[in-house]
Amino acid sequence: MGKPVNTRRTAQEPVKGPVDKAMEVLEALVEGGGGPHRLAELARRTGLTKPTVHRHLRTMAEHGFAQPAEGGSYRPGPRLLGLAAAALDAGEDLRLARPVLADLRQRTGLLAYYAVRDAGDAVFLELSEPAREYRMGTRPGGRAPLHRTAAGLAMLSALPAEEAAGLLDASAPAPNEPLAVRAALAEAVRLGYALDDEWEEDDARAAAAPVLDGEGRVVGAIAVRGLTFALDDAAVEVFGPMVRAAARTVSAGLGGRPRLGVVPTGRDGGRM
C-alpha cells in the first residue's frame, strides 16, 4: 500500500494569545533533540516574529525553563528538564514499559519504544535502542500523526469506533490514503498488532500493539522499529506476536485485560 502523506486541514486558526505563543516557543525549544536552537530557527518553527520569540525566551530563561547557549542560541533549561524527568518517572505505564522495552530490544535487536496519544498524534516517550551505527529517526519527544505510524495505528485499532473515526477525519488523509489506513486498521484488529510499512520513515518498518488500563482504555502502545531488511515479512510473523505479548504484559500490570479493537466506521455508518 502507498505511503500516507500528512495533509492536515488548513482551517482558520484563532488568534493566538501570549500563553499560546509561549507554549509554541517551549515546544519548538525541545524539538530536534533539545538544541541548541538559534533564534531564527525557533521563529521559523513557530511562525512568530523574532522579537516575540526572544521576549518569551528571556522570560523562560529567568525561570529556568530555557538556557542561553553559544551564538545567541537557546536550549531547554534545567527546570524544564527536571519537570520532564519527574513527570516521566511518575507514570505507572512507563515504569512497567521500561523493562519490557529492554527485553524486546535484546530479543529482537531492534529499536523498541513506548508511545502515547496526544490528540491526533502519537508521541514517543521511551526508547530502548540497540548499539549500532545506523539509528532510527524515532526520538524521545518526537511525534507523528496516528495514521502514519504503527504505534498510532495500534492505539486507533483499540479505540471506540466513533472516536477513532473522528481522529482519522481530523488528520485528513490524502485522497489515496483512506483505503490503505482502513485496511491497516482492520489487519491490526485481526492480528492484535499494527504494521507501519515505511509510512513514517523511509526504509523502515514497525510493529506495535496497544496498551490498555484496568478500565479497557487505551493508554499507549509498545512497538519495535527496524530497517526493512531486518523487519521483513518473515521477521514480522515472529516479532509481531512478541510485541503483542509485551503490550499485554504492560496492560496486565495496569489491571487491563487484552481485547480486540473496533474498526472505525465511516461517515455513512459502514465499516471502513
Side-chain angles (χ1 to χ4, degrees), residues 51 56 60 88 97 122 124 126 134 159 178 180 183 259 265:
H56 285 295
M60 292 177 187
L88 290 175
F124 313 114
E126 186 79 12
Y134 184 86
L159 286 174
R259 68 173 175 85
T265 57

Side-chain angles (χ1 to χ4, degrees), residues 101 111-114 124-129 135 138-141:
L101 294 177
L111 166 70
Y113 64 91
Y114 179 69
F124 313 114
L125 293 189
E126 186 79 12
L127 277 66
S128 183
E129 192 164 13
R135 303 186 68 187
T138 307
R139 292 288 177 268

Side-chain angles (χ1 to χ4, degrees), residues 8-271:
R8 301 190 177 195
R9 290 194 177 96
T10 55
Q12 185 175 0
E13 297 182 356
V15 177
K16 298 175 183 176
V19 175
D20 300 305
K21 296 176 182 178
M23 292 299 99
E24 290 189 357
V25 172
L26 190 62
E27 184 175 4
L29 188 65
V30 299
E31 288 179 344
H37 302 292
R38 303 185 71 85
L39 183 61
E41 178 188 356
L42 294 172
R44 177 183 58 80
R45 287 186 177 183
T46 60
L48 303 173
T49 64
K50 289 183 182 179
T52 298
V53 173
H54 193 218
R55 182 171 66 253
H56 285 295
L57 286 171
R58 287 203 314 267
T59 301
M60 292 177 187
E62 291 175 2
H63 294 277
F65 289 94
Q67 187 174 52
E70 61 277 2
S73 57
Y74 284 83
R75 62 166 56 95
R79 189 174 183 187
L80 176 59
L81 296 174
L83 287 175
L88 290 175
D89 192 56
E92 180 68 6
D93 54 342
L94 269 177
R95 184 187 67 79
L96 293 166
R98 287 182 180 120
V100 169
L101 294 177
D103 179 66
L104 270 180
R105 184 257 304 158
Q106 184 175 22
R107 295 169 64 192
T108 65
L110 303 174
L111 166 70
Y113 64 91
Y114 179 69
V116 297
R117 181 171 70 87
D118 177 25
D121 288 343
V123 181
F124 313 114
L125 293 189
E126 186 79 12
L127 277 66
S128 183
E129 192 164 13
R132 57 181 55 182
E133 292 183 4
Y134 184 86
R135 303 186 68 187
M136 295 286 102
T138 307
R139 292 288 177 268
R143 60 176 58 221
L146 290 171
H147 69 279
R148 291 188 64 202
T149 182
L153 289 171
M155 289 186 278
L156 283 172
S157 73
L159 286 174
E162 289 188 5
E163 185 177 358
L167 288 168
L168 284 177
D169 286 344
S171 65
N176 65 331
E177 284 185 47
L179 289 179
V181 173
R182 293 165 186 167
L185 281 176
E187 189 72 352
V189 170
R190 185 180 73 84
L191 297 173
Y193 59 87
L195 297 178
D196 160 8
D197 194 2
E198 298 187 80
W199 286 21
E200 182 193 345
E201 184 177 357
D202 290 339
D203 303 316
R205 302 181 82 191
V211 173
L212 310 177
D213 67 10
E215 298 182 9
R217 295 172 301 196
V218 182
V219 296
I222 294 285
V224 294
R225 178 176 295 278
L227 294 175
T228 51
F229 71 84
L231 198 54
D232 58 15
D233 291 344
V236 166
E237 290 185 3
V238 177
F239 296 155
M242 289 172 58
V243 170
R244 181 179 60 206
R248 288 178 175 178
T249 296
V250 178
S251 297
L254 295 172
R257 292 192 297 259
R259 68 173 175 85
L260 291 178
V262 179
V263 179
T265 57
R267 292 182 181 275
D268 60 355
R271 294 181 71 82

